[in-house]
Amino acid sequence: MAEVHIIGNLDGGEGFSSPNLSCKWCFETGGAWRLLEGVKDGQTQVDHPIDEGIAHWSHPIDLHYAIKGIQGWPKLSLQVYSEDMYGRTQLVGYGFVHLPTSPGFHKIECPTWQLAGSAMDQVQSYFVGSGPQLINDDVIASGSDRYRLQTIASGTVYLSLFLVTRNFNKFGIES
Amino acid sequence: MADNSLFLVMINGQVESANFPLYDDLYCRVSVVYGADWLLVSGLEEGTSQITKKTKDEKQKFVWNFPIEVTLKSTNPYGWPRLVIAVYGLDAFGRDVVRGYGSILFPLIPGSHKIQMPMFVPESTSLLQKFTSWLLGTRPEFVDPKFVTQSDGREVTRVRSQGSVSVTCNIMTKDISSAGYVVDSIHSHKP
């Protein structure tokens, strides 16, 4: 059985409409992947950076998969939330990134986008504090039904991950 | 399938220095945290550094130069060791208060590595609590600093990030390739 380990950190994020951020993350894989150890989704702490630069999460990621096929390579889907001074949370970015396929260290920058509402939505979100959100989160990491959306660019999420593979050469996989 | 998948990881390094613009008189508590499949073969997994003052010049550096030497064995990379540092300082009244928590993953690739660890400290929820904690010296802190290496329960914590700690480490592994694991390739980045 071939195995894959993904060990690293969800480092932080910057460039969003507010510097006080947290991130909800989730790994999605195909049917040939079985999670043996580790947590495949979670939410980071909310960070208020003192210099209003990068929000640091240093959130640990440690996953151990057993795989029967390389289809459905893991994708990490992210939702970034910001918190204002009243403690209200607002969604400020959606993004996804594929995990690297080569063993070793990878520094990853994930670009994010958010839904651009109408002018009325933007006025409402300024006062009430919540913009339009996706009903179905599947569209974050998939390409179907994207054409219906109108979005605007948002900040960047940083990850640093080590990938370890086991028995790939026995199954003839080159990575 | 590899019959014997036991491998050893040796970590030598130090907690070099820190950058905390707002504070002085700091010391740190250092621990190496690892998963259930791992066993500490030699070395100390916890330690406390000396109290250091920052330099009077514009660099304002704190230097601890605190050694980390551990050797661990495992059959499984899951739970790869992480370093947790909790920095404490003296406040204006001379009491110990926590100034930051941070955690890094020790690199999985053999070699020398220099890593910057961003530090963050839990925040009080209300203005009144901020004031009483300043007055009494009872700042919000985590019950166990190892909390920052776990994934569960982090979403309810609100923190303020400030400062960083610089850690250098040398990683050496034994029998990790013969156990069947490939940890590096020409397509990866330099840590």
Side-chain angles (χ1 to χ4, degrees):
Chain A
M1 187 79 83
E3 292 167 41
V4 172
H5 289 265
I6 300 140
I7 306 176
N9 274 340
L10 196 57
D11 289 325
E14 74 173 337
F16 295 88
S17 52
S18 148
N20 307 326
L21 302 167
S22 73
C23 177
K24 197 162 134 190
W25 54 274
C26 173
F27 281 90
E28 296 168 14
T29 54
W33 290 67
R34 190 160 64 98
L35 185 65
L36 297 177
E37 292 169 302
V39 186
K40 74 167 175 64
D41 54 33
Q43 192 165 347
T44 68
Q45 62 198 15
V46 180
D47 183 34
H48 295 240
I50 204 165
D51 59 358
E52 306 213 330
I54 302 182
H56 294 286
W57 300 316
S58 299
H59 194 94
I61 291 178
D62 199 339
L63 292 161
H64 180 193
Y65 283 101
I67 64 174
K68 286 193 214 158
I70 54 176
Q71 285 73 30
W73 195 273
K75 292 187 279 204
L76 177 64
S77 98
L78 304 162
Q79 297 176 37
V80 183
Y81 292 89
S82 78
E83 193 182 75
D84 64 12
M85 57 177 190
Y86 304 113
R88 297 178 304 188
T89 52
Q90 184 175 348
L91 200 140
V92 288
Y94 291 109
F96 98 94
V97 71
H98 272 109
L99 286 181
T101 51
S102 312
F105 180 70
H106 302 271
K107 236 176 153 58
I108 301 168
E109 293 181 14
C110 177
T112 62
W113 46 271
Q114 60 182 115
L115 294 169
S118 62
M120 196 57 214
D121 286 331
Q122 285 172 25
V123 170
Q124 189 180 354
S125 85
Y126 177 78
F127 288 107
V128 176
S130 176
Q133 296 186 9
L134 291 172
I135 296 176
N136 185 0
D137 290 341
D138 292 342
V139 89
I140 301 172
S142 103
S144 49
D145 291 332
R146 283 280 190 102
Y147 64 91
R148 296 168 190 277
L149 298 175
Q150 197 161 45
T151 65
I152 188 168
S154 195
T156 311
V157 172
Y158 301 106
L159 294 121
S160 45
L161 297 172
F162 287 91
L163 197 95
V164 178
T165 59
R166 192 180 193 203
N167 297 330
F168 267 32
N169 51 341
K170 283 199 169 65
F171 291 91
I173 305 171
E174 290 126 9
S175 69
Chain B
M1 281 288 183
D3 285 320
N4 178 21
S5 64
L6 189 72
F7 58 88
L8 251 76
V9 176
M10 187 177 84
I11 301 165
N12 282 342
Q14 56 171 287
V15 179
E16 259 188 6
S17 60
N19 173 35
F20 275 94
L22 299 173
Y23 304 118
D24 205 350
D25 288 303
L26 300 177
Y27 70 95
C28 63
R29 284 223 178 94
V30 174
S31 2
V32 176
V33 174
Y34 44 86
D37 284 341
W38 291 74
L39 207 63
L40 187 73
V41 170
S42 80
L44 296 169
E45 56 187 299
E46 291 200 348
T48 307
S49 76
Q50 75 274 25
I51 303 178
T52 183
K53 286 184 177 302
K54 64 178 154 201
T55 53
K56 298 279 186 292
D57 57 20
E58 70 281 354
K59 285 201 224 106
Q60 297 200 317
K61 239 172 49 164
F62 293 91
V63 167
W64 285 309
N65 196 215
F66 186 77
I68 303 164
E69 287 159 316
V70 288
T71 307
L72 299 124
K73 69 177 177 186
S74 175
T75 53
N76 183 358
Y78 178 73
W80 193 276
R82 292 175 188 260
L83 182 69
V84 174
I85 294 184
V87 175
Y88 298 89
L90 302 177
D91 67 359
F93 303 108
R95 298 169 300 206
D96 263 354
V97 290
V98 70
R99 295 302 191 194
Y101 295 98
S103 160
I104 51 146
L105 172 70
F106 283 116
L108 272 69
I109 298 175
S112 297
H113 310 275
K114 189 175 169 105
I115 307 167
Q116 293 293 331
M117 182 195 286
M119 303 300 279
F120 48 83
V121 65
E123 268 214 312
S124 304
T125 28
S126 68
L127 212 54
L128 179 65
Q129 206 195 1
K130 268 199 181 98
F131 177 70
T132 46
S133 71
W134 171 82
L135 198 63
L136 300 171
T138 51
R139 306 273 170 145
E141 51 185 288
F142 293 129
V143 170
D144 185 358
K146 300 184 184 156
F147 175 72
V148 302
T149 59
Q150 75 186 50
S151 182
D152 294 326
R154 301 291 293 278
E155 64 268 15
V156 294
T157 55
R158 192 188 286 120
V159 300
R160 194 176 70 243
S161 64
Q162 64 200 349
S164 64
V165 171
S166 176
V167 175
T168 52
C169 58
N170 302 310
I171 308 287
M172 212 157 77
T173 59
K174 175 178 188 284
D175 294 334
I176 209 171
S177 309
S178 51
Y181 295 102
V182 176
V183 294
D184 204 0
S185 70
I186 53 169
H187 303 293
S188 67
H189 307 156
K190 179 92 183 65

